[in-house]
């Protein structure tokens, strides 16, 4: 049973399946070039003040008493500060992040060629999905008929490490931040599975360039996550109220 914290505001499955029926071939999809900065600014505005899937792991560590950790409080403070300050469209990127953006759609295309799974809402067509309470959300790298994909284009040494990931248990052990990111996407979309993809075209052997595995929904962990989100939202709002009334 889904919590009201998590039901996606745009998670209409009938609409998703209709989108698959008329989706363009993946190779025909292009990232937007006109008004790209404006589109990114709108995306950042949707995330402003909200807890997001890509940072969800920061709420998952616990203090000794089972409450929020110091790292979680730091994240909560960042979100409170966003609400209390003027929107700023700054978005920090690194060379590694740029590398990932440049090869993400290519990775999905390779995945599609091998599996035959259609993937939509990729690249410039990615969509931010907010929880029904509008307190948190995320932007999947792509959607499939049964879930979605999370794509990583890491450093080569990390790609070899990710090739050892074969399910949710090994992903949680190897890279917890990606595990929680994927579990949060499944809760937002009501999905029962997701695909973790690692891609590095720098490997000379083409057989080593792409790795993917299926991650199953873990409801026990999702319930744990939703409890952490509830605690974080309460603390964020307490701080906003306290500082906003001064």
């Amino acid at each position: 049973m889904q919590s009201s914290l998590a039901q996606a505001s745009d998670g209409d499955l009938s609409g998703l399946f209709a989108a698959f029926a008329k989706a363009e071939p993946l190779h025909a999809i292009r990232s937007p070039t006109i008004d790209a900065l404006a589109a990114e600014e709108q995306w950042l505005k949707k995330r402003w003040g909200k807890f997001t899937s890509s940072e969800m792991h920061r709420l998952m560590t616990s203090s000794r008493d089972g409450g929020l950790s110091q790292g979680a409080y730091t994240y909560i403070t960042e979100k409170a500060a966003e609400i209390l300050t003027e929107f700023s469209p700054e978005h920090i990127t690194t060379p590694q992040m740029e590398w990932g953006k440049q090869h993400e759609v290519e990775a999905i295309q390779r995945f599609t060629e091998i599996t035959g799974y259609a993937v939509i809402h990729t690249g410039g067509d990615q969509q931010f999905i907010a929880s029904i309470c509008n307190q948190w959300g995320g932007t999947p790298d792509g959607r499939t008929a049964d879930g979605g994909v999370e794509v990583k284009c890491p450093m080569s040494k990390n790609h070899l490490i990710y090739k050892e990931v074969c399910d949710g248990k090994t992903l949680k052990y190897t890279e917890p931040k990606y595990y929680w990111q994927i579990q949060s996407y499944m809760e937002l979309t009501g999905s029962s599975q997701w695909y973790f993809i690692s891609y590095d075209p720098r490997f000379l052997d083409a057989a080593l360039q792409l790795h993917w595995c299926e991650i199953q929904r873990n409801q026990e962990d999702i319930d744990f996550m939703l409890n952490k989100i509830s605690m974080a939202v309460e603390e964020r709002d307490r701080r906003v109220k306290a500082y906003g009334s001064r």
Side-chain angles (χ1 to χ4, degrees):
M1 181 175 68
Q2 288 193 339
S3 164
S4 61
L5 267 173
Q7 294 171 351
S9 59
D10 63 344
D12 183 358
L13 290 179
S14 62
L16 179 62
F17 286 120
F20 277 107
K22 61 181 181 181
E24 292 182 87
L26 192 61
H27 63 77
I29 297 175
R30 298 289 184 268
S31 296
T33 55
I34 300 175
D35 296 329
L37 292 178
E40 182 175 8
E41 182 172 327
Q42 287 301 314
W43 174 72
L44 290 170
K45 281 184 177 180
K46 291 178 181 179
R47 294 161 49 96
W48 197 249
K50 297 182 180 68
F51 300 102
T52 61
S53 294
S54 60
E55 298 289 325
M56 193 59 65
H57 64 282
R58 299 176 66 183
L59 297 179
M60 294 305 106
T61 55
S62 298
S63 61
R64 290 185 177 181
D65 62 1
L68 296 166
S69 67
Q70 187 57 50
Y73 279 114
T74 298
Y75 185 34
I76 291 167
T77 301
E78 293 171 9
K79 294 294 139 181
E82 287 181 356
I83 294 174
L84 290 167
T85 57
E86 182 180 353
F87 171 72
S88 173
E90 295 180 2
H91 187 43
I92 299 174
T93 60
T94 65
Q96 186 59 39
M97 291 170 66
E98 287 300 319
W99 167 267
K101 289 174 64 176
Q102 292 170 9
H103 294 86
E104 183 178 290
V105 172
E106 179 183 329
I108 296 174
Q109 184 171 350
R110 289 280 299 276
F111 170 78
T112 298
E113 291 170 352
I114 292 172
T115 64
Y117 299 153
V119 184
I120 64 171
H121 298 319
T122 64
D125 191 39
Q126 291 178 358
Q127 297 182 346
F128 180 80
I129 303 173
S131 62
I132 195 168
C133 64
N134 206 33
Q135 301 297 334
W136 67 283
T139 309
D141 289 334
R143 297 292 308 278
T144 63
D146 56 1
V149 298
E150 179 56 31
V151 182
K152 303 302 175 185
C153 299
M155 298 173 62
S156 298
K157 64 177 182 179
N158 290 337
H159 178 66
L160 286 179
I161 293 173
Y162 297 160
K163 285 181 73 66
E164 300 298 317
V165 173
C166 59
D167 54 20
K169 182 178 180 179
T170 52
L171 179 61
K172 188 177 183 181
Y173 175 81
T174 304
E175 202 66 272
K177 61 183 178 181
Y178 299 154
Y179 174 80
W180 290 113
Q181 183 177 16
I182 288 174
Q183 291 296 329
S184 71
Y185 286 151
M186 285 191 275
E187 180 65 1
L188 284 169
T189 61
S191 303
S192 59
Q193 60 187 34
W194 213 261
Y195 299 98
F196 172 72
I197 300 171
S198 182
Y199 179 64
D200 186 353
R202 292 167 292 201
F203 278 86
L204 299 176
D205 185 347
L208 297 176
Q209 294 175 356
L210 182 73
H211 172 73
W212 65 274
C213 66
E214 187 176 301
I215 308 299
Q216 294 294 320
R217 182 187 182 96
N218 186 316
Q219 192 59 48
E220 182 178 352
D221 280 350
I222 286 175
D223 291 341
F224 175 79
M225 178 187 71
L226 293 175
N227 182 55
K228 291 289 187 179
I229 294 173
S230 295
M231 296 167 65
V233 168
E234 182 178 355
E235 178 60 21
R236 181 204 61 190
D237 291 350
R238 184 194 70 78
R239 295 186 179 203
V240 169
K241 183 178 180 181
Y243 286 102
S245 62
R246 293 185 179 184

